[in-house]
Amino acid sequence: MLGAAVLLATGLFASAEAQLRALDALVDGVQDRYQKTHFFQARFQQTSALASLDEKQESRGRVFIRKPGMMRWVYESPEIQLLVSDGLNYWVYTPRQKQVILTRFGDAFRSKTPLAFLAGNGKIRDEFNIRFAKKPSGALDESSVVHHLVLIPKTTHPGLKEILLEVRREDFLIVRSALIDPFGNVTDIRFEEIRVDKIPPLELFTFKIPPGVEILRPPRLPGKTK
């Protein structure tokens, strides 16, 4: 019985070590992929779920990213909305409301969410504790085309509890990012038709405020001097 217990413990330890090595290799692969990826574009589907109201809202559109810090999110349905960053400024334009929110890119993406990571901001090891998700398929399921990860912020963030990532096995590209806040609200984004070999033109990352549109400027966050 003692021998069997020792063998079982040894097997469990070896399995845990194998998972740690696999996790390290995966995180290294993701970080390396996005350090070397300077352009990104895709179609996306976003599902926003409010825990308190048990409601979901689905949006669709296209995203274009060009490092460093340039992004363009075009929401095509159910409502037209435009999110643009030139690396310094960040605009959120809603034509129906005739309003644009203007802030600094560093303020809008102060926490290193995957959106900022895709745009070239930060390293996931520095910002998160990372582990394999227990569901839906297990960490080392060789039949799965994606890996499932859970990212927990190393420092407390009022708007972020954890992030669920799906990483494509073949090329370490992120195909899903689900942000969960402390209240259980979820913003789930899935990427399709991903391309990293096409250079988005610089004109996509500038925004001219249309005449008659109200400009809203949120207060600067503490610690920002520029």
Side-chain angles (χ1 to χ4, degrees):
M1 291 179 62
L2 179 60
V6 170
L7 287 174
L8 177 60
T10 302
L12 291 174
F13 180 75
S15 176
E17 285 242 314
Q19 286 219 359
L20 283 175
R21 288 196 299 270
L23 180 60
D24 283 341
L26 176 57
V27 174
D28 287 343
V30 173
Q31 187 69 56
D32 184 65
R33 156 58 76 177
Y34 284 95
Q35 282 182 339
K36 293 178 179 178
T37 298
H38 298 283
F39 317 107
F40 178 95
Q41 64 183 63
R43 296 204 65 86
F44 70 86
Q45 177 179 336
Q46 177 176 313
T47 302
S48 302
L50 296 177
S52 60
L53 300 178
D54 194 25
E55 292 183 355
K56 291 184 178 181
Q57 179 179 340
E58 290 192 358
S59 307
R60 295 178 180 272
R62 295 196 63 87
V63 58
F64 304 87
I65 294 175
R66 180 169 175 163
K67 292 183 180 178
M70 290 179 278
M71 300 193 299
R72 185 182 184 93
W73 294 77
V74 183
Y75 285 80
E76 300 168 343
S77 67
E79 180 179 9
I80 296 174
Q81 191 176 48
L82 186 61
L83 286 64
V84 181
S85 169
D86 61 5
L88 294 176
N89 300 298
Y90 181 65
W91 299 268
V92 178
Y93 175 48
T94 307
R96 180 178 62 85
Q97 297 177 347
K98 294 185 177 181
Q99 287 183 343
V100 61
I101 300 172
L102 174 59
T103 185
R104 303 288 286 180
F105 177 80
D107 287 346
F109 295 96
R110 196 177 189 187
S111 65
K112 301 301 189 293
T113 66
L115 302 187
F117 175 65
L118 289 173
N121 249 13
K123 296 183 178 180
I124 53 176
R125 283 189 194 276
D126 294 343
E127 303 295 329
F128 299 99
N129 294 312
I130 308 167
R131 61 174 173 82
F132 280 117
K134 294 180 181 179
K135 296 180 180 181
S137 59
L140 298 178
D141 181 4
E142 294 299 328
S143 65
S144 176
V145 297
V146 296
H147 294 286
H148 303 267
L149 295 177
V150 179
L151 282 62
I152 308 293
K154 289 185 176 181
T155 57
T156 302
H157 189 283
L160 182 62
K161 179 183 177 183
E162 65 181 18
I163 300 172
L164 308 180
L165 288 186
E166 288 185 7
V167 178
R168 200 156 65 187
R169 181 186 295 275
E170 64 182 84
D171 54 14
F172 299 106
L173 286 171
I174 295 171
V175 295
R176 179 192 175 206
S177 169
L179 280 68
I180 304 171
D181 73 12
F183 304 101
N185 302 314
V186 181
T187 302
D188 190 342
I189 301 177
R190 296 177 181 270
F191 297 107
E192 300 174 343
E193 302 176 24
I194 297 173
R195 293 196 62 175
V196 294
D197 59 345
K198 188 175 181 179
I199 304 176
L202 286 173
E203 308 90 78
L204 288 178
F205 310 105
T206 59
F207 181 74
K208 293 183 179 180
I209 299 174
V213 170
E214 181 184 10
I215 303 172
L216 305 178
R217 299 177 185 266
R220 300 299 307 278
L221 293 175
K224 295 292 180 180
T225 57
K226 295 182 180 181

